[in-house]
Amino acid sequence: DTAVSQTPKYLVTQMGNDKSIKCEQNLGHDTMYWYKQDSKKFLKIMFSYNNKELIINETVPNRFSPKSPDKAHLNLHINSLELGDSAVYFCASSQGSIYGYTFGSGTRLTVV
Amino acid sequence: GQNIDQPTEMTATEGAIVQINCTYQTSGFNGLFWYQQHAGEAPTFLSYNVLDGLEEKGRFSSFLSRSKGYSYLLLKELQMKDSASYLCAVNNGDYKLSFGAGTTVTVRA
């Protein structure tokens, strides 16, 4: 069983569309994250939820909206997609604040 | 803010040793992590240091000096499969890992 799974793996869409990426973890972790990795490979945190509560909301356009229906799931919805949103989006989870993360396999988003 | 610096690229020969340095200035410190990321894949955990000193795990070792804000990852007996990006990340205690830009290591035969 995959520990952190996210779907889809690839997403190609036109500017202006709305899309969602889903993430699920079966590790029993309390905390889940969304990270964005740009073309320069720099991983930057976007959001974090702890037990369904939003605890980190970095400077991200409000077109991006995370939703955590339960502590095993964290989805990312993006409205009005722009060219600059093209990147790889990684979901991750951890148990508490001082432990490392387990990452999902990533979603490569391409906006055309 | 968080400032984590590491070299952009390093090249080494199969069987050799490579040391990847990481310096950091962060608002808090609750441990330093090293991750390996192969092209097109997710980062995977390599090591964790929270106290000063050297942690050894097989061919990989990681060192931390908190007073100097400095860590290194040592890769010994390099293999072709070690060609990857190595990410230094600092946990500053508020549920956030801050990452460096990564060091791309290329292993040549």
Side-chain angles (χ1 to χ4, degrees):
Chain A
D1 269 351
T2 305
V4 180
S5 59
Q6 52 182 111
T7 54
K9 190 166 175 63
Y10 300 96
L11 186 53
V12 181
T13 188
Q14 291 187 325
M15 272 195 309
N17 284 350
D18 304 338
K19 290 292 178 186
S20 292
I21 307 172
K22 295 186 175 182
C23 180
E24 176 181 2
Q25 55 99 0
N26 63 6
L27 298 167
H29 288 169
D30 290 332
T31 312
M32 296 185 72
Y33 311 81
W34 278 111
Y35 273 78
K36 179 181 180 181
Q37 189 170 44
D38 59 25
S39 57
K40 295 183 180 178
K41 309 299 183 189
F42 187 54
L43 264 171
K44 188 168 183 185
I45 191 165
M46 300 172 68
F47 302 102
S48 176
Y49 273 74
N50 180 256
N51 278 319
K52 301 193 298 175
E53 181 185 345
L54 181 66
I55 55 172
I56 294 175
N57 185 353
E58 293 291 283
T59 307
V60 176
N62 57 15
R63 298 182 294 105
F64 290 77
S65 53
K67 279 194 173 54
S68 182
D70 56 61
K71 76 172 194 176
H73 295 84
L74 180 62
N75 304 323
L76 183 66
H77 188 75
I78 316 170
N79 288 327
S80 304
L81 277 156
E82 301 177 357
L83 293 176
D85 298 331
S86 295
V88 181
Y89 292 84
F90 284 101
C91 176
S93 71
S94 72
Q95 183 56 32
S97 67
I98 63 169
Y99 299 99
Y101 297 177
T102 301
F103 283 88
S105 57
T107 296
R108 182 173 293 277
L109 172 65
T110 304
V111 182
V112 297
Chain B
Q2 322 297 331
N3 193 19
I4 300 169
D5 291 316
Q6 49 182 128
T8 305
E9 293 179 335
M10 301 183 76
T11 301
T13 308
E14 205 173 8
I17 298 173
V18 70
Q19 177 174 316
I20 306 169
N21 296 325
C22 172
T23 57
Y24 63 89
Q25 288 177 307
T26 56
S27 55
F29 184 83
N30 235 335
L32 186 142
F33 294 82
W34 285 95
Y35 281 82
Q36 181 191 59
Q37 186 177 24
H38 284 100
E41 297 183 12
T44 55
F45 171 82
L46 284 180
S47 70
Y48 170 63
N49 294 70
V50 67
L51 300 176
D52 290 351
L54 187 68
E55 294 281 342
E56 296 188 83
K57 193 185 286 187
R59 295 188 298 113
F60 294 178
S61 304
S62 56
F63 172 83
L64 175 66
S65 168
R66 289 171 297 170
S67 62
K68 295 182 179 176
Y70 168 71
S71 173
Y72 68 72
L73 179 70
L74 195 69
L75 286 62
K76 296 179 246 183
E77 300 169 20
L78 278 172
Q79 302 175 8
M80 299 300 286
K81 67 178 181 179
D82 297 330
S83 291
S85 183
Y86 292 85
L87 309 173
C88 175
V90 174
N91 186 315
N92 63 3
D94 66 354
Y95 291 93
K96 184 164 63 175
L97 270 185
S98 297
F99 284 84
T103 300
T104 300
V105 171
T106 302
V107 181
R108 294 188 172 159

